[in-house]
Amino acid sequence: MITSAEERLLAGLVRAIKMNSRGWIDAVEAVSEDGIPIAHESDNPNFNSEYIAAAAAAVCGAISAVIELMGAKGYKRFNIQLDNGRFILIRQYKGYYMVCLTRPNPNLGYVELLLEAYLSE
């Protein structure tokens, strides 16, 4: 069960990542491993955090299954490049997923450094 202290921590991280992204990130969401949205920031008023959370948890579960079948030892992050030049970046963070959607053709190096700075354990 998530505590209010954890919710505040995740909400603060989401807000800080979005605010310090220099406009390269359109949306950030913290998601529990079972697909519950915890906190999000988005430039899109139609952002549906429940659908994003459920989809992110499903994708992460599928990737975990493939990694296990390959005999590997898990993962910490993965990137998906979309046809329109955007990226979906998913990072594991203390039992949660941080999901980011970039703007088209982002400064990916900066975004990666930003996420590493905020999410390194």
Side-chain angles (χ1 to χ4, degrees):
M1 170 121 186
I2 188 167
T3 67
S4 58
E6 289 173 319
E7 281 184 20
R8 285 192 303 274
L9 170 72
L10 292 169
L13 276 173
V14 165
R15 196 170 20 262
I17 289 168
K18 178 75 172 85
M19 186 173 62
N20 290 299
S21 73
R22 298 183 180 171
W24 292 116
I25 295 176
D26 269 344
V28 183
E29 181 165 11
V31 177
S32 71
E33 286 183 329
D34 55 354
I36 297 171
I38 308 300
H40 73 274
E41 293 279 330
S42 175
D43 293 336
N44 182 349
N46 297 322
F47 185 83
N48 189 320
S49 63
E50 289 83 16
Y51 288 150
I52 300 295
V59 167
C60 291
I63 288 173
S64 293
V66 169
I67 288 171
E68 186 177 314
L69 289 170
M70 295 178 77
K73 290 189 176 186
Y75 69 96
K76 294 232 181 245
R77 64 189 179 136
F78 65 91
N79 299 347
I80 302 168
Q81 185 174 4
L82 306 177
D83 286 341
N84 62 2
R86 293 175 181 258
F87 287 82
I88 296 172
L89 311 173
I90 299 180
R91 303 291 181 266
Q92 290 187 345
Y93 178 73
K94 296 184 180 183
Y96 300 95
Y97 302 121
M98 299 297 281
V99 182
C100 299
L101 174 65
T102 70
R103 300 235 182 214
N105 307 309
N107 180 339
L108 201 53
Y110 176 79
V111 174
E112 292 280 7
L113 285 172
L114 178 70
L115 293 176
E116 182 66 25
Y118 279 104
L119 303 177
S120 63
E121 296 184 42

